[in-house]
Amino acid sequence: HFVQCLSDPVSRPRPKRLHLIGPSPRAMAKDPLADANLYFDELGKLRVLEPEVSHSTTELKEECKDFVDKIAQFQKMVGGLIDLVGELAKETETEKLKAIGARNLLKSVAKQREAQQQQLQALITEKKMQLERSRVEYEALSKVESEQNEFIDQFILQK
Amino acid sequence: MRLKTSLLKEPKHILLLLNKLVSCVGWTSSDELYSCSEDHQILKWNLLTSETSLVAKLPDDFYPIELHWFPKTLGSKKQNQADIFVLTSTDGKFHLVSKNGLIEKSVDAHNGAVLAGRWNYDGSALITAGEDGQIKIWSKSGMLRSTLASQGSPVYSVSWGPDSDRILYTSGRQLVIKPLQPSAKIIQWKAHDGLILKVDWNSVNDLIISGGEDCKYKVWDSFGRLLYTSSSHDYPVTSLSWAPDGEVFAMGSYNTLRLCDKTGWSYAMEKPNTGSVFSLAWSADGTQLAGSCGNGHVIFAHIVEQHWEWKNFVITLTKRRTMQVLNVIDEAVDVLEFRDRVIKASLAFGHLVVATSLQCYVYSSKNWNTPLIFDLKEGTVSLIVQAEKHFLLVDGAGLYIFSYEGQFICSPKFPGMRADILNAQGISLSNDTVALRDKSDEKVVYLFDALTGKAFGDGKPLTHKMEVVDVALDQCGPLNERKIALIDKNRDLYLTSVHRQQPKISKIGSMVHCMQWNDCANILCGIQDNQFTVWYYPSVVFVDKELLPHTLYVKDGSEFARTSHILSYVDTKVTLRQGDGSLIYSTVPSYPAILHNYSSSARWEDALHLCRFAKDQSLWACLAGMTMASKELTIAEMAYAAIGELPRVQYIHFIKEQASKESSLAHMLLFTGQVQEAEAVLLQTGLIYQAIQINIDLFNWERALELAVKHKTHVDTVLAFREKFLQKFGRKESNKRFLQYAEGVEVDWEKIQVKIEMELSKERERAANASVRGSIASRR
């Protein structure tokens, strides 16, 4: 048990205890066993450690174990939380990028439309010119038609 | 007419960065194109198989700017084709590259980039222009000949003049024409409001196009006169290129491709997704257009929806190899299919002639199903001219006349002829004659027999006193009455006969901008000083000059502006193209054509009837001219009476009363102003007195006296008339010869009268004898 105590990392505060134990030989000077730093426990077994101390040590050990467990659990929980937040951040980031892209696209669509409009406008101007040409041609032909009709009328009248 | 464009979905040039562009393109044949881009590659595009292959990979620091193929040598020297091209680059070098992509020679030419490099038309010289503002001329092998010009600003574009004796280059906002001879005059003018990026000069029509950062393109003549300005585009004009035949040109800008007529107006515009079109190139036959685009594409285009019209037929080029014939009378549609691309076509005189790259198709308008097909030697027909009986093809090597049955007739030639730059203005064809204007000396017009290909007469060409701009032969009538009309540089219109030893040339109009003969009668129409004018009977100028203004038909109107051009004159319909490209039509009364018809078949009674029916002064004037030309005096007298030309009526009357045939013939010659011929006729038949008398009548005293002395007769008559004339004007004799003869000769009016009477009666007797003899001969 002693060895266990020594080897137990929880029993590290032992020197402190020993220091506390230090003045006890003066208080219990009557007990020679106590002088020799030897004690009996309730079961009558020989102990190097005071039973009370041993008891508190065990208790401390238990508590420490609990504490360690709790800390581990806490760590696990926090880890999960961090992961979750990280994922969330990533998602946010992608969404943000998407939004920026969409916004840019929107801007460029407006520009594209403008360019398209310009192109169409140019084509319309071109068509208008063609229309004008056709109109002039039509007018010329109408004039020819009326001249021909006039000629025919005249011809018939003279006959 | 519009451009049909095609773009591949993916650019073939590998563009690692977005700002890489295809910088230059050039055709080797009409189906093979080389392109060069900033990805350091030379690609070859085969249009028949639509394959693209890598020719060569250039060094990584090589950025090409311009590519120009060595010109194909023409005609006989076919085997001497050097398949190389010049490639200029940004590092101040130009490279001669062979067809397989091997750089044969690299020459350090300029500081900074070499912005342009062009071969001249026969390939004997190369010109380069650089960012350093210098223009250098190099030999075929790349040896420096001279530095032609040097200026402070970069020369963006350079072009050769038609005869390769001048160059045109840009200088900031100015254009400069510089002859190669150092002493000759430089023409320089401000052309644009922005930097000029591109110029091109066509060898066939001698017109210049320029475009620049002011977003406009302009058309100039070779004297720097502005002919057309386009409206402002949205983006700078980055490329311009003439089609080889000079009928159209293409313009490229950002996302824009335009097809324009040579007068500047635009046939069509395309808005392909190309980025800026940096260079444009036409294939040698003028059917294909390629452009290098800013986004790494190479755009291809060809012309479709070209129209031809003749009478009731409208023919449309629907696809590259397909034509549609529409007969507007019965709405019948025929589709004509060809094996190869259509290069040129012409529709007139009831025949459609189509030249493809290998064959020529001749269709008759009566039958669209069975064309006549014959093979062509050279693929690039640049011009088709038709006449009623045959047609003429012009290709790079020469010109050939074929009958509509597909038979080769002849191939007229003259020394120094360059068939590749013949255009429709310098060539004219009629049923028996071909007229060609010499390009090196534009005053000279060669006339050939269309059936033998030989020059007419003694082979001497017709030489005008001014540069001739336009020639046109009349289409009807017999060979010996063939007339040629020509417009010279001063815009004067002249008419002369093709067959005469000493061609008499008469001016029949001024400020004439274009002209066209009718296809079925010898009627000429033209635009004279913003008026549409028809010369009903132009030959009247040889018969009675003063009658000419009476035979004109003039139409006024804003549509007949100077910029208008007559396309055709078929029957009574004249088709004109206005400056803005619109077609307009006009009709000419049909009576003159009918009158011409009657005149050629000598149906004078019908002609008279027609004139009475139409009640038109100009028609009567035509009739007067025609009848005088064919010596129908009775009808001529009536015609002159109808237009109120009484002195002429009297004179005709006088001619009719002449004692003998010879006399009346002589007086008719006098009527048409041919004094010497008239005198010669009289002297030949021994009518000395009459010859003297006509000289007296013309106050041609010296000649009269000379004749009298020479023939030792009627000297006293001449002296008597002279004296009378001087008395009338109250003047003294001052002529030494007359004074000399007056001393020895006594003037007795009575004796003279008797002598004259005697001469006249002698003539009458002779005439009577002649007619008796004639009648006996005819009886025998």
Side-chain angles (χ1 to χ4, degrees), chain B residues 526-552:
Chain B
I527 292 179
Q528 184 177 20
D529 196 17
N530 293 344
Q531 284 177 325
F532 176 69
T533 309
V534 182
W535 287 264
Y536 277 157
Y537 182 51
S539 318
V540 73
V541 76
F542 299 118
V543 179
D544 186 351
K545 218 174 191 166
E546 281 158 49
L547 215 52
L548 185 72
H550 297 288
T551 62
L552 297 187

Side-chain angles (χ1 to χ4, degrees), chain A residues 143, chain B residues 530-532 555-561 578:
Chain A
K143 213 167 144 188
Chain B
N530 293 344
Q531 284 177 325
F532 176 69
K555 244 187 188 179
D556 251 324
S558 56
E559 66 262 40
F560 307 115
Q578 267 186 309

Side-chain angles (χ1 to χ4, degrees), chain B residues 48-160:
Chain B
L48 291 178
T49 56
S50 47
E51 273 173 7
T52 311
S53 53
L54 178 70
V55 177
K57 185 104 176 73
L58 300 165
D60 272 352
D61 57 346
F62 189 102
Y63 291 96
I65 295 178
E66 191 168 6
L67 180 160
H68 192 218
W69 278 95
F70 188 80
K72 295 250 150 104
T73 36
L74 300 162
S76 52
K77 291 177 277 175
K78 250 184 200 166
Q79 65 277 15
N80 190 20
Q81 277 184 12
D83 279 328
I84 54 168
F85 59 89
V86 62
L87 193 61
T88 69
S89 62
T90 49
D91 54 3
K93 290 181 182 172
F94 72 82
H95 312 266
L96 300 177
V97 188
S98 70
K99 201 171 180 180
N100 48 21
L102 211 68
I103 296 182
E104 291 183 348
K105 191 163 191 180
S106 294
V107 181
D108 267 314
H110 293 272
N111 290 325
V114 184
L115 296 174
R118 309 289 294 175
W119 296 102
N120 69 355
Y121 288 100
D122 54 2
S124 57
L126 170 74
I127 198 154
T128 60
E131 247 176 341
D132 56 357
Q134 292 196 325
I135 294 175
K136 292 179 177 174
I137 295 184
W138 308 81
S139 74
K140 193 178 155 187
S141 55
M143 303 294 286
L144 180 66
R145 282 210 190 124
S146 62
T147 301
L148 196 65
S150 128
Q151 63 181 36
S153 56
V155 180
Y156 284 97
S157 183
V158 64
S159 184
W160 286 93

Side-chain angles (χ1 to χ4, degrees), chain A residues 80-124:
Chain A
L81 192 69
I82 285 173
D83 282 354
L84 207 73
V85 169
E87 252 169 59
L88 213 66
K90 233 187 238 168
E91 236 166 80
T92 319
E93 201 60 35
T94 50
E95 284 305 315
K96 210 166 87 185
L97 275 176
K98 265 190 200 166
I100 291 171
R103 195 189 294 159
N104 283 349
L105 211 65
L106 192 70
K107 267 186 200 164
S108 76
V109 160
K111 259 188 192 160
Q112 248 178 41
R113 287 271 173 269
E114 211 173 286
Q116 262 177 6
Q117 196 185 354
Q118 207 178 24
Q119 287 200 359
L120 288 175
Q121 202 61 48
L123 286 173
I124 288 171

Side-chain angles (χ1 to χ4, degrees), chain B residues 623-643:
Chain B
L623 182 65
M626 287 170 188
T627 45
M628 272 319 285
S630 50
K631 302 182 174 61
E632 288 288 332
L633 294 183
T634 323
I635 294 173
E637 205 180 339
M638 286 155 88
Y640 273 113
I643 53 171

